[in-house]
Amino acid sequence: MSQYSKVVVAIDLSEESDLVAARARAIATSAGSELHLVHVIEPLSFAYGVDIPMDFSGLQDEIQEQATGQLQRFAEKNGIAADHQHILLGRPEVEIHAVAEKISADLIVVGSHGRYGLALLMGSTANGVLHGASCDVLAVRVGS
């Protein structure tokens, strides 16, 4: 098995993020790799649709500010440098791929809830990352 030189760990800042980051950190440490941390905030308009006549910008800014603080604390706890922290706005799978491409990552680590049936058909971030990645993807089973 080849060693990985750049590892991206994508987290959602839930309690399960600790397990996902621990797996990524173990791989990065054993291979002497750079470890990058990614969190993607989905725009509220994705959840509520663009036809709702409401201005979500203030709420979106608040969400971004809170997530940035949480990500910085998480990164500090996990020893990840500020220049290896990426907080983005968009579709998670698209933004995770973009970061991986930008830094020439050779491994993406994501959490997976192991959905099946209708939940799997509806899609998941882990599934989206797996099917569009140009590098290896490790899905860490969480929440089972």
Side-chain angles (χ1 to χ4, degrees), residues 46-70:
F46 287 4
Y48 296 106
V50 293
D51 293 338
I52 296 177
M54 294 178 67
D55 180 14
F56 290 115
S57 60
L59 184 55
Q60 192 73 59
D61 291 344
E62 179 66 26
I63 291 169
Q64 176 104 19
E65 187 177 309
Q66 287 183 8
T68 299
Q70 284 183 281

Side-chain angles (χ1 to χ4, degrees), residues 13-26:
L13 295 172
S14 68
E15 291 179 12
E16 297 159 340
S17 295
D18 288 324
L19 174 61
V20 177
R23 293 283 171 86
R25 198 172 54 252

Side-chain angles (χ1 to χ4, degrees), residues 76-92:
E76 185 176 307
K77 180 174 80 172
N78 285 279
I80 300 171
D83 62 338
H84 287 183
Q85 298 171 32
H86 310 271
I87 189 159
L88 305 158
L89 184 66
R91 293 244 181 244

